[in-house]
Amino acid sequence: MTYVETRMSVWEALAGRAPGEPLGPADPGLWHAVVDRINPARAKPVLRAGIECAELTSVRGSTYVMLRSPDQAGRACYLRLTPEEWQLAQLMNGTHTVARLVAEFARIAGRLAPDQVRRVVADLAGNRMLDELPVDAFRPLQELDRKPLPKRVGSSLLAAARGRRMLVVDIDRVITAVYRGGGRLLFTRAAAIAMAVLAVAGLALFVATWWRGSQAVFLTGGSYLLGAVVLLLLNVLALASHELGHALATKHAGREVPAAGFLVFFGIPSVFVDTTDVWMAGRRSRMLVTAAGPATGLVLAGSLQLVGLAVPALAPLAFKLAFAWYLNALFNLNPLLALDGYYLLMDWLEIPNLRGRGLAWVSSRLRGRPPAWSGLDREGRLVALYGILAVLWLAVAVNLAYRIWADRVAGLVTGLWHSGLGGKTLLILVVVGLCAPLVHLGVSALARWWRRARLRASEKEREADAPRRLAALRNSDLAGLSTQALTELAVQAHWVRPPSGTPMVLAGGAQHSVYVVVDGAMQARRPGDPGGTIRHHVGAGGVVGLATALTGRASALDWHTAGTTLLSVPSAAVASVVGPLPGPPPADRAEAEALFADTPALAGLAGDERLALIASAHPVDLEPGAPVVLPGPTHAVVVESGVIAMPDGVELRRGTLIGPVGDGSPGEVAQTRTPARLWIVPDAADLPPLVGAPTRLAGPETGRAGAATGVHSAGVYPPLAAPPGPPDGTEDPDVDRRFERRLWWLVLLLLLLSLLMTAMNLLPGPAWAEMPTDRVLLSSDRGTVTATIDGRPVRLAAGDRRYVARGTRIEVPVKAAGRLTFQGGSASLLCPGTQVEVGTLVTDAGRRRVPHGGLSVQAGRVLADTGSTSGAYEPLSLTVARPGAGDVTNNGAAWFAVGPDAVSVATGRVYIAGTPEMAATTSLSCGDGVPVPPPAGSPSQTPDDEPSETPSEVPSPSPSATPPTEATTVPLPPTVPVPPGGPNQPPATADPTTRPTLRPPPPGTGPSR
């Protein structure tokens, strides 16, 4: 294993990112070192050559641009911009400062947006799309923040345990060859229909096989150890085919698959492919690539199940591999996790941060907090429906988990827990491996809880934590306040760490706190905006609610978190410390607010930004013919009244913005035609802070969409990282309405599925499914049952279960009751006071399996029900030996009682020493007169079940749903010769593909001892 040292560029430092890290503030020491060496205001960014650009259209009809950096395939970064931002980026040729770019963007987009321009520069830099600045005089920046070698090695080992790639290879040529060699045919309409039929048919067959209990998941050749190894290897194969589906779909979209490899995810081998290049292909291609992975598993699982049906010898392997595929698909389609299901829904709806916001809404409603359903706009209802879908999916997953536990894992536990230390160790490894994703989530959640608990504990020490709160305020937009004012705010502030997507401010509601963003970001939208719109994005150091606190007005926007750590300061405290708003007197301020609200070029500014402009602006009254002068390149003029004329004769009126020009000395730019009132904005290219003086060093910008190569980034999904700003007006409002209607159908479907599965979980499953064929399941129904296994007595309390083999002696006390369950569901009840010994246990192979069992009754009474509860099994062929009396056998499904000196038959064909025993009763009991129902549900006696002394046609006695094969005509002789060895001698088996004749088993002499 190697660790990688990456050189950090100046631009990455300016953007506040470490190499490969999409979000997060830069290290303060590193940032200040950069600021000491270069002034970002004087930097002239240069766009790298070779950047790939794709113009795409969103589902709502708006146009956007996806960029791909000109790096090697595995290191390429991706960024989403608006068409106007891309035009701005093309002006970055090394001749324009950031201030000039602000002016150019105002010309291109028709609005003033200094913060947006700086964010575009930071995003391009953080995604390696800008050339390096000259750094010849600087020593390597990585020396400023270089960690010791042991710490770096330890971090690499921990990252490998968490799932870091350990082996990466270039696989694009291989995938291209596979796609051209026939893989492209899988993406035709005919192939899609055929694969859908295979998937549905195979899934139905898998469910039937599971319910019939004819195949084991954890057993291979009667060994749990071999079964675990086989299942582990098959899981790697399932993951590889899943990733191959993603890769082929990426090639179908015309994009590259630059890398694939191997990793160990908490001890579980796994594989991956890099499909991020499909981000350049548009929404439909992204959805196809995301869906191709689970779809590949479903189709292959269904196909293999049909192969197993046609070739019984392959059925066990086919069932195990199908189980791995289905489990992988179930896990990947879970919308609660950032996997295929979540990204499929997010790409379909094109709403970012869908999971965090949806789950936050569900959590809020469960605690009775707003917003209620009636208060949601169209996008809010889509987000809420996603949260409901996630909860319903969780209900489905819980039902499936219970079914897997009850039908399979419980049998595995029964088989291994009592097999010594080795068996217990293997059981723990298998269960942990099966639940590895859940274990990973649990460990991660526990680690997060522990970190937060430590933080909360330290924050409770208010005095000790005061320096941290003060430092956060000093690194925010409030830094211009005096030290005394910041100290007063720090005393009343407290930390808030809400989950991602939590609504912190609701439009129209009272805002009692001002939030300082310490880490992460907060995003805002206006109610009624089209889905996916983000009007404002406030990163680390920004402040939300300052204007609301100072003006006392309600917020016009909804604000929610995006992986955020906040410092909450009471609004009243902020208003008290800051005092009245700086700037013009109240009368002039009211005029300016009305004017700036009517100015289209300022419409995209946040309330805080608009107030900051007003605070620094001042009015000027001019006579007709007076020149309109811009004092500097960053100044701007807003026309409040009158008419002014540009040098080319164009007349400008109220609501017109002139400037800034960005560089040079603009001087006279227009002349008044009538008496005019203008507002001069001195620093329009770099918005001043609303409060205090601009003394804080410019902090790192937190961009929108840096991407970790090869995987979806943890915080941001680049294709949906829409640049903040107002909607462009081209969105189709009917799209969200259609989405809402379809989501309601999905909710109804999942609700019905969860209810159906809950009802099915009330039915018993195949308890024998994970039991070796030479075992029988002993369980205690009441009291304590004692089983002597290998000479060692084992006590089973009520409800305990144990697999027992030939030679096991079972004693049932007078106040207890036990049960023996055979392959196929046949069961024998052990009445109070019974003593039996288990004889030979074997199951003939074939499409319909024939279980054979032997018991020897020394005392008490055994109620035997040989009917099968599974259509995959014939009725149990049971031989009950009685010392000093003839052996009792059956032919087909029967319900009878056997004691040392008495036999009672309720239904079916039963023989004593080969002689048919007539049914003499309609019900059986344990001698107490209380009727006992057949435990396996044998059919009631019919005229055809009456035994006959004469030859007769013997129909198939199995009540299974499987079409019976042709019955064999067997004359029933009065006696049958007894083969040597008695019931403990394994019976001769017929060809496994031929159904055995229904001749009564020969009597024996009892089990050997």
Side-chain angles (χ1 to χ4, degrees), residues 609-620:
E609 296 172 335
R610 194 177 296 134
L611 286 179
L613 282 181
I614 295 173
S616 62
H618 62 274
V620 174

Side-chain angles (χ1 to χ4, degrees), residues 7 10-11 37-38 43-46 131-138:
R7 179 177 177 271
V10 173
W11 277 116
R37 288 163 172 77
I38 188 169
K44 298 179 179 180
V46 180
D131 281 336
E132 294 281 350
L133 293 179
V135 291
D136 299 337
F138 306 148

Side-chain angles (χ1 to χ4, degrees), residues 195-218:
M195 289 188 294
V197 172
L198 288 175
V200 173
L203 178 60
L205 181 59
F206 178 84
V207 172
T209 304
W210 180 285
W211 199 260
R212 287 149 55 107
S214 57
Q215 300 295 341
V217 173
F218 302 105

Side-chain angles (χ1 to χ4, degrees), residues 778 784-788 793-796 808-814 816-818 830-837 858-859:
L778 170 65
T784 301
V785 175
T786 302
T788 303
V794 176
R795 297 181 179 275
L796 279 72
T808 300
R809 300 190 62 181
I810 303 171
E811 297 182 10
V812 182
V814 175
L830 308 181
C831 294
T834 299
Q835 297 182 11
V836 298
E837 181 175 336
Q858 284 83 34

